[in-house]
Amino acid sequence: MDEEKGTNRGGLMENWQQSSRSRQVFIVITAAVVIAVLLLFVQYFTKPQYVTLYSNLDPAQAAPLVQHLRERGVPYRIEDFGATIKVSQSMADEMRIEMAGRGMPFAQGLGFELFDEDRLGMTDFERQVKMQRALQEELRRTITSIDAVTQARVHLVLPEPRVFLRERGEPSAAIYLQLNPFLSLKEEQVRGIVFLVASSVENLKPENITLIDSQGNILYDAVTTSDPHIALADSVLNQLSVKRSFEVELERRAQNMLERVFGPGKALALVTVDMDFDSRETTVITYDEAGVPRSTYLMEERHEGEGPVAGEVGEANYPGYVGVVQGGESSHDRREETVNYEIGESTERMITAPGKVLRVNTSVVIDTGENSVNQAKIEQVNTLISSAIGFDEARGDRISVEGMNFDTSFTEQMEAAHLAMAEFEGQRRQEEIIRQAVMGGGAILGFILLLVAILRRRKLSREMDIVPLSEGRSLKELFALEEKEDFVPEISPEKTPQGRARKVMDKNPEVAVSVLKSWMTEE
């Protein structure tokens, strides 16, 4: 085995020594490139993978995190100009749990963890300041849990307690939000944040809260909300927005139908809607014609027995006058009945919501081109538009349909400019492709020429080495013999090495030049 290994090594060394200089250089460069690629792959797959521990941090937030990582000896990376901290993937979960236990879940101040290590001798003022700091941090953590909010800061103004109620001030709050550029903060979320803070702080009213974003835009302002003039202006803007949204919806319906009939850009529809935004409450009371008995009072009285009898006495001009006569039997009956009736009524309350449609006015223009639109087609369009927008003649709606010639010069110019730009882009792209193809073809051709030259040179070198001279000796061996001291040249000049070399050079000058160049390169 050892002899075979020695033989293999000897063969490799002989092959290496017999190889040309260009081939040796090529082998060395190829081996270096392969080793470098292998080293890069090994480094890439063996190096630790870093993941994001916390992001969107400012320097004040990142400082305690970096200090803690240094104390623990955990390797970390800082990116995005200090806004992102990365650690190895195997340590990320452990570090998050550990920092959350230390009160640094977001690398910000402590919340109610401030009271975990309460010291003796703390004054009421220090306790109040701690409470305010803890409450601000707890609110900040809750607000940043919203997807549209990346960072937040909460500033609370809590007045000192007073003996008299009239001397106590009202608490207020100012909230700063850094929003996510890929998500929008909705109006409902803004109100939710405001009422969250108002419910978390004692005696804090929503109108005493101000909310702004990172660009300084006011999202919720107490002054704006409480000012009646500004509130009225906002109400008018909201009404106009509702009105325009309804008009756009009707226009979209009519426009889609017209474009299906006449083609794109051949018709135009505009809608104007009059709406009533007044809110009304109507109460209607209706009384029934027949009364409904509510209560009945009945009294009956009866008397029988002996006693004075009532008889008619007096003058004739006083008929019916009854007097009392001694002796006889008497009886007395009395009945009294009272029925109370109540008039039946029905009450109906009707509340009219704002936004009632009073009138819809629609204008339709059809592109006639060189032709004219007849009355029959106008009537058809009128009927279609009436059905599309919900036409109500009793409400006073109106529809106007006219045929006109549209001015398409601007559109034609824009189309021509677009076509010219597209043609220019196509030509430029074609020229770029041709240029890249020429460069790539030139590089390939140069590489092929270089490869052909190298192969031709190696072939000529091998042919020169095996050219037979006198007594089977090559030109190179003859020159080597001439340099030896004990070499005795023959008498005939043609038989000397110099003569033979000149003869070979005369016959094959190109081979001789190539051999000389190879010798000079080896030296």
Side-chain angles (χ1 to χ4, degrees), residues 64-79:
L65 284 172
V66 174
Q67 183 178 0
H68 181 72
L69 294 175
R70 288 178 179 175
E71 292 175 356
R72 284 289 311 276
V74 177
Y76 64 90
R77 288 182 180 178
I78 299 177
E79 297 181 358

Side-chain angles (χ1 to χ4, degrees), residues 164-293:
F164 300 100
L165 294 176
R166 61 186 178 184
E167 294 181 357
R168 294 182 180 178
E170 293 185 352
S172 61
I175 305 172
Y176 163 82
L177 301 179
Q178 184 178 351
L179 303 179
N180 190 338
F182 302 102
L183 295 175
S184 60
L185 188 65
K186 300 180 181 178
E187 186 177 355
E188 295 81 5
Q189 294 175 323
V190 172
R191 289 200 298 268
I193 293 173
V194 170
F195 284 100
L196 169 69
V197 176
S199 302
S200 303
V201 181
E202 184 180 4
N203 298 327
L204 178 59
K205 300 178 181 179
E207 54 266 22
N208 293 336
I209 298 176
T210 302
L211 189 66
I212 65 172
D213 61 3
S214 57
Q215 297 180 355
N217 300 321
I218 299 177
L219 304 178
Y220 186 89
D221 188 8
V223 178
T224 302
T225 306
S226 60
D227 192 346
H229 299 287
I230 298 178
L232 181 61
D234 293 338
S235 176
V236 173
L237 290 176
N238 292 333
Q239 293 175 4
L240 293 177
S241 177
V242 172
K243 177 177 178 292
R244 185 54 190 158
S245 298
F246 185 64
E247 291 175 349
V248 168
E249 177 63 21
L250 294 180
E251 289 175 359
R252 185 186 63 82
R253 293 182 180 180
Q255 190 72 32
N256 291 340
M257 184 181 60
L258 292 173
E259 288 182 352
R260 288 293 185 91
V261 177
F262 297 98
K266 296 296 183 180
L268 178 64
L270 295 177
V271 179
T272 302
V273 179
D274 296 335
M275 304 183 73
D276 184 9
F277 290 96
D278 296 335
S279 179
R280 296 181 180 86
E281 181 178 352
T282 305
T283 303
V284 178
I285 301 176
T286 304
Y287 296 97
D288 298 336
E289 295 181 358
V292 178

Side-chain angles (χ1 to χ4, degrees), residues 229-445:
H229 299 287
I230 298 178
L232 181 61
D234 293 338
S235 176
V236 173
L237 290 176
N238 292 333
Q239 293 175 4
L240 293 177
S241 177
V242 172
K243 177 177 178 292
R244 185 54 190 158
S245 298
F246 185 64
E247 291 175 349
V248 168
E249 177 63 21
L250 294 180
E251 289 175 359
R252 185 186 63 82
R253 293 182 180 180
Q255 190 72 32
N256 291 340
M257 184 181 60
L258 292 173
E259 288 182 352
R260 288 293 185 91
V261 177
F262 297 98
K266 296 296 183 180
L268 178 64
L270 295 177
V271 179
T272 302
V273 179
D274 296 335
M275 304 183 73
D276 184 9
F277 290 96
D278 296 335
S279 179
R280 296 181 180 86
E281 181 178 352
T282 305
T283 303
V284 178
I285 301 176
T286 304
Y287 296 97
D288 298 336
E289 295 181 358
V292 178
R294 187 180 65 175
S295 62
T296 302
Y297 174 75
L298 177 62
M299 186 184 70
E300 293 182 354
E301 183 179 346
R302 182 180 180 84
H303 176 72
E304 292 181 357
E306 296 180 355
V309 179
E312 185 176 348
V313 297
E315 299 295 331
N317 56 348
Y318 295 100
Y321 182 78
V322 180
V324 178
V325 182
Q326 294 294 330
E329 294 181 357
S330 63
S331 65
H332 175 71
D333 293 331
R334 182 182 177 187
R335 180 183 175 85
E336 222 177 274
E337 184 177 1
T338 303
V339 180
N340 295 323
Y341 289 90
E342 178 145 1
I343 300 175
E345 65 179 21
S346 59
T347 303
E348 181 182 359
R349 295 182 60 190
M350 183 172 57
I351 299 176
T352 304
K356 180 181 178 182
V357 178
L358 299 178
R359 190 178 300 104
V360 178
N361 299 322
T362 307
S363 176
V364 178
V365 182
I366 303 173
D367 184 14
T368 59
E370 299 179 356
N371 302 323
S372 60
V373 180
N374 53 22
Q375 188 65 27
K377 184 168 289 188
I378 290 178
E379 292 295 336
Q380 292 176 355
V381 173
N382 198 337
T383 304
L384 293 175
I385 295 297
S386 300
S387 302
I389 66 173
F391 179 80
D392 188 359
E393 187 175 1
R395 193 170 54 190
D397 296 352
R398 292 189 306 172
I399 297 177
S400 175
V401 181
E402 298 291 339
M404 295 183 180
N405 188 9
F406 285 8
D407 184 9
T408 59
S409 59
F410 179 75
T411 306
E412 293 175 356
Q413 292 177 2
M414 293 298 295
E415 290 179 355
H418 180 71
L419 291 175
M421 183 62 68
E423 184 178 356
F424 174 75
E425 286 292 332
Q427 184 178 2
R428 188 181 64 83
R429 190 178 297 109
Q430 186 177 4
E431 292 178 355
E432 182 69 18
I433 293 173
I434 294 174
R435 186 177 66 85
Q436 292 180 358
V438 170
M439 292 177 61
I444 295 173
L445 182 61

